[in-house]
Amino acid sequence: MNAFSKTLSVAFLATSMLFSVPASAAKSPFEFKPERISDKPEFPFDESKAYILVEYDRMTNVSFMKLPNEEEQAIWEKMRLEEFAKAQKKYVSRKKRYENDLAKWRKIRSGRKPEPPVEPTEGNFSITPFELEHNLAIGPQGRFNNDDVSIYLYAVPEGEYVFYGNAFFNPNGGAMGTCVCMGTVAINVEAGQIAAVRLDYPFVDMLANLPKEERPKTPLEMPEELTTTGLLPVEKAKSDQRLPQDRVVFPAMRPISRLPNWFGLEVDRLMPVEGVFRYEGDSMISLGEVEVLEAEEAKEIGDDMEAADEAVASTDGEEAVVEEPAPEAAPETGGTAG
């Protein structure tokens, strides 16, 4: 069973967010108006703006969603609490109306029995997630470059953007495509830079490039190490003379192990990104954190060795006494598992 089928077997972990109480709509107080950069002879790069560039050999469509920073998260939580208080007040009136309707129904026993309203609680109440109000839907139209390659370029507010997947959003509602809900990344988009990624669609490429008899019939037949979607450094965008090449960067990335499948799309996970993360079974391993830890451990070892050398030197040939460190207290148990 390949990685794609493994993700499907546990897809229920990332199904659409369903609440007993309908989620309240939340209108973002933050300006989020991504600017699509159209295909013109010149591109007036603006140092004060942040940009996202997506490259693929054909037309495509993907979605990035801005993640809230601390200030935005605090404001969003305040909005949630305000909406929660409103929902509780509405529940009181709805419950009273239900009790009156139920009393009438019991007298006549005719028609449909009234349904009790669901009481809003911290566990079943939600407002529209921040990410859905800050969704950057890219493609398939609106390319910055369509000469033997598809390049999409947008000016966006700087911050972190999670790669949601190969999702197409219908203007009249609904979506279709694939959500990399079981493993993806958030890219860091900074002012004065073009955060650029190249899409990798192994299944699509196999269908286009392999002889008919060698093509996989479904993504389930792909090799073990492949999923349907990957992110790579750009190739052809580097030859577009309109772009300031010193500002085109493969962005810093942070692994995200789970995302809600808000739109009920097909579920998959992003292929490993070199130097960023890998998988062990269904677990995502952050390589960045491992490298940092290894560097810190190496520094600690080096500091200990240097201290030991200084201790030996300070004895002027006398035997150095190295004190054993006091034993650490045993860690407490019974905490919440991480």
Side-chain angles (χ1 to χ4, degrees):
M1 180 182 293
N2 64 26
F4 179 80
S5 58
K6 289 177 183 175
T7 60
L8 288 182
S9 67
V10 291
F12 67 90
L13 292 175
T15 52
S16 299
M17 296 182 71
L18 300 177
F19 303 94
S20 298
V21 175
S24 296
K27 185 173 178 59
S28 176
F30 311 106
E31 183 175 350
F32 186 73
K33 297 180 179 178
E35 175 191 355
R36 179 175 64 83
I37 310 301
S38 58
D39 186 359
K40 294 182 178 179
E42 295 184 1
F43 164 50
F45 178 78
D46 188 337
E47 291 274 359
S48 67
K49 294 182 179 179
Y51 297 87
I52 289 179
L53 182 150
V54 172
E55 172 187 286
Y56 186 54
D57 292 336
R58 307 173 188 85
M59 296 176 71
T60 187
N61 41 262
V62 294
S63 169
F64 286 87
M65 296 181 180
K66 188 178 186 302
L67 298 177
N69 56 34
E70 289 185 5
E71 178 187 1
E72 292 166 335
Q73 185 62 53
I75 293 175
W76 214 258
E77 176 60 18
K78 181 181 177 182
M79 291 170 54
R80 189 191 71 83
L81 292 175
E82 291 172 351
E83 292 298 316
F84 181 50
K86 292 178 184 178
Q88 288 179 315
K89 289 182 179 179
K90 290 181 180 178
Y91 169 74
V92 172
S93 61
R94 287 172 179 169
K95 183 180 179 183
K96 185 175 181 179
R97 184 166 59 248
Y98 159 73
E99 291 172 346
N100 290 336
D101 292 343
L102 182 62
K104 294 176 182 178
W105 180 85
R106 284 174 173 166
K107 289 180 180 179
I108 60 176
R109 297 285 177 173
S110 177
R112 185 175 180 180
K113 184 179 180 180
E115 294 288 338
V118 178
E119 180 179 4
T121 66
E122 285 287 348
N124 67 13
F125 179 82
S126 174
I127 63 173
T128 304
F130 179 94
E131 294 85 344
L132 297 188
E133 284 289 304
H134 301 81
N135 180 23
L136 173 63
I138 296 176
Q141 305 294 329
R143 290 176 288 178
F144 173 74
N145 187 336
N146 59 6
D147 296 332
D148 76 11
V149 66
S150 289
I151 293 177
Y152 302 86
L153 182 61
Y154 284 78
V156 298
E158 62 179 338
E160 267 197 318
Y161 287 76
V162 64
F163 179 66
Y164 192 72
N166 176 231
F168 173 77
F169 298 94
N170 190 323
N172 297 321
M176 58 187 299
T178 301
C179 163
V180 284
C181 298
M182 304 301 291
T184 185
V185 294
I187 67 172
N188 191 41
V189 183
E190 299 181 7
Q193 291 185 348
I194 300 175
V197 295
R198 177 176 175 79
L199 294 171
D200 185 12
Y201 294 139
F203 179 63
V204 174
D205 292 342
M206 287 178 182
L207 295 181
N209 302 323
L210 289 179
K212 186 175 181 179
E213 61 275 9
E214 298 180 18
R215 297 174 190 169
K217 295 181 176 61
T218 71
L220 299 174
E221 297 180 7
M222 290 195 301
E224 174 73 24
E225 68 275 10
L226 297 180
T227 66
T228 57
T229 311
L231 293 179
L232 302 169
V234 295
E235 296 175 359
K236 299 182 180 180
K238 289 289 186 180
S239 62
D240 193 316
Q241 298 303 312
R242 295 171 295 176
L243 300 174
Q245 294 301 319
D246 60 330
R247 303 304 178 91
V248 179
V249 301
F250 191 54
M253 297 182 176
R254 179 168 62 90
I256 304 290
S257 61
R258 292 289 186 274
L259 278 180
N261 185 6
W262 286 298
F263 303 97
L265 305 179
E266 191 173 75
V267 175
D268 199 0
R269 63 183 183 181
L270 195 66
M271 283 194 297
V273 179
E274 184 177 357
V276 179
F277 76 91
R278 61 184 172 84
Y279 293 108
E280 285 186 4
D282 288 330
S283 299
M284 176 181 272
I285 308 299
S286 173
L287 300 179
E289 291 180 2
V290 171
E291 290 172 354
V292 169
L293 289 175
E294 289 177 348
E296 290 177 349
E297 289 171 357
K299 183 178 184 303
E300 290 176 0
I301 293 172
D303 290 345
D304 290 344
M305 293 179 66
E306 184 177 347
D309 291 341
E310 291 176 354
V312 171
S314 66
T315 60
D316 293 328
E318 297 179 5
E319 184 178 358
V321 178
V322 180
E323 295 183 359
E324 291 291 333
E328 296 183 0
E332 297 182 1
T333 59
T336 302

